[in-house]
Amino acid sequence: MAACVIRRTLLSTFNKYNSVSRVLQHVSLNSRHNPSVSCSSCDLFNVQQKRFMSSRPEGKVLETVGVFEVPKQQGKYETGQLFLHSVFGYRGIVLFPWHARLYDRDVSPPAVESKPAEPPGAHGSKEVKGKTHTYYQVLIDTRDCPHISQRSQTEAVTFLANHDDSRALYAIPGLDYVSHEDILPYNSTDQVPIQHELFERFLQFKASKVPPFVPRDTLQAWQEKNHPWLELSDVHRETTENIRVTVIPFYMGMREAQNSNVYWWRYCIRLENMGEEVVQLRERHWRIFSLSGTLETVRGRGVVGREPVLSKEQPAFQYSSHVSLQAPSGHMWGTFSCQRASDAAMFEVAIPSFSLDSHGHKDSPYSFLF
């Protein structure tokens, strides 16, 4: 198995489970689903040591990558924090945090902010309260991208091109958004521990700092210039029959097309199988409401050309897509049709309703500022 331990995750008990053991786990890619600590592909059993390893792509020889740290239960991670993704297993580094509003239909915590009213006919009617939740803008180590591409798109953060082409999109490979609880922090003595074309443009090594990777001026300038297109403000989550769907919408900007304004959004969706049964996504069914008064229905096989299988070993799938409206705001909601492997039974999984909002941002093209 290529990059065996990179696609393996720490069994994150630590403070959360009143334990400080550091254990390497076979890749289910999600410690919440698989407590096993054996790896049949490289004969690692019950490894209880602080240092974790990475295998070389061409073989099963392990090499040292770094030392795990205790995950933070309070507070946030700083710019320059190295981590493993607890679900997809890749190495990454934190650029900066986002403080989003999480609307979780599965729980009703003390209210911080009420979710905007849904349009007539939208899925669900119960009021959902928002609470503040921390996400991070991160860089993914390009060495790990081939090993996660079947479970998570590594070119999912896209931007509109200039005004000369109203439909052109482009992506920054290896840019991602990661929830606080998905961060498994570690440290390394390597001065360039992450391979990414933006690593040395955004960060520099300073041994006296903790973490020892500090932001360059170019990172702050890039963040400030592109804040409207990078901003993560709302996260929506709902679970149906042990399949949890998380949706994060992003406003991308407005372009003119055929003498009318067209507003663009991208949305990132993660499906997670929280149960024991193997499930496969078969179809999607979307309802898209525009402030202009239109209601569009979209049906199709799978998502982004795939019909992912969600199992105990590989419980998650994440992808991004795009939508455009001829109005500055709207709503989307829908369902995924899924099939159980055990009896071929079909069932519907709710996609939580989410707003498409331009936030009043003035339109301007994305800027590299390098």
Side-chain angles (χ1 to χ4, degrees), residues 133-146:
H133 193 76
T134 302
Y135 275 73
Y136 299 94
Q137 195 88 64
V138 308
L139 296 180
I140 303 173
D141 194 309
T142 56
R143 293 169 294 185
D144 298 338
C145 289

Side-chain angles (χ1 to χ4, degrees), residues 72-217:
K72 290 186 177 181
Q73 303 304 311
Q74 303 293 331
K76 63 181 178 63
Y77 295 105
E78 301 297 326
T79 296
Q81 176 65 62
L82 296 167
F83 70 93
L84 290 186
H85 195 294
S86 71
V87 175
F88 298 110
Y90 64 72
R91 289 166 287 184
I93 192 165
V94 170
L95 296 180
F96 46 81
W98 292 107
H99 299 295
R101 295 184 302 274
L102 172 62
Y103 299 102
D104 194 338
R105 290 179 176 270
D106 301 327
V107 296
S108 297
V112 173
E113 184 174 339
S114 295
K115 180 182 176 183
E118 297 176 350
H123 154 71
S125 59
K126 64 181 180 181
E127 183 181 23
V128 181
K129 302 295 184 179
K131 66 177 181 179
T132 301
H133 193 76
T134 302
Y135 275 73
Y136 299 94
Q137 195 88 64
V138 308
L139 296 180
I140 303 173
D141 194 309
T142 56
R143 293 169 294 185
D144 298 338
C145 289
H147 308 301
I148 63 171
S149 60
Q150 295 302 309
R151 311 304 299 176
S152 177
Q153 294 172 321
T154 57
E155 297 186 0
V157 181
T158 54
F159 302 90
L160 289 178
N162 60 38
H163 288 267
D164 295 334
D165 190 338
S166 63
R167 295 183 60 86
L169 302 174
Y170 60 91
I172 297 182
L175 192 65
D176 201 3
Y177 295 82
V178 180
S179 178
H180 183 87
E181 66 267 21
D182 287 337
I183 297 285
L184 297 178
Y186 73 92
N187 60 67
S188 171
T189 57
D190 190 344
Q191 295 189 18
V192 186
I194 298 297
Q195 291 188 11
H196 191 287
E197 63 177 351
L198 298 181
F199 179 84
E200 293 185 273
R201 295 183 181 183
F202 284 167
L203 301 160
Q204 59 183 324
F205 180 81
K206 285 194 176 180
S208 60
K209 300 292 185 179
V210 179
F213 307 100
V214 298
R216 296 181 184 271
D217 291 341

Side-chain angles (χ1 to χ4, degrees), residues 245-305:
V245 178
T246 303
V247 184
I248 308 176
F250 299 88
Y251 178 59
M252 298 179 67
M254 180 272 292
R255 294 292 182 267
E256 293 184 5
Q258 299 179 347
N259 299 319
S260 64
N261 294 335
V262 179
Y263 299 82
W264 284 85
W265 290 263
R266 73 177 182 273
Y267 53 92
C268 177
I269 292 186
R270 186 161 104 183
L271 296 100
E272 286 184 87
N273 187 347
M274 313 301 290
E276 300 294 321
E277 291 192 83
V278 177
V279 170
Q280 185 169 12
L281 188 155
R282 292 299 192 183
E283 296 181 349
R284 68 190 185 280
H285 178 204
W286 282 107
R287 304 273 280 177
I288 306 169
F289 174 80
S290 171
L291 189 63
S292 63
T294 62
L295 180 62
E296 182 181 2
T297 298
V298 178
R299 287 184 178 272
R301 295 288 297 180
V303 291
V304 293

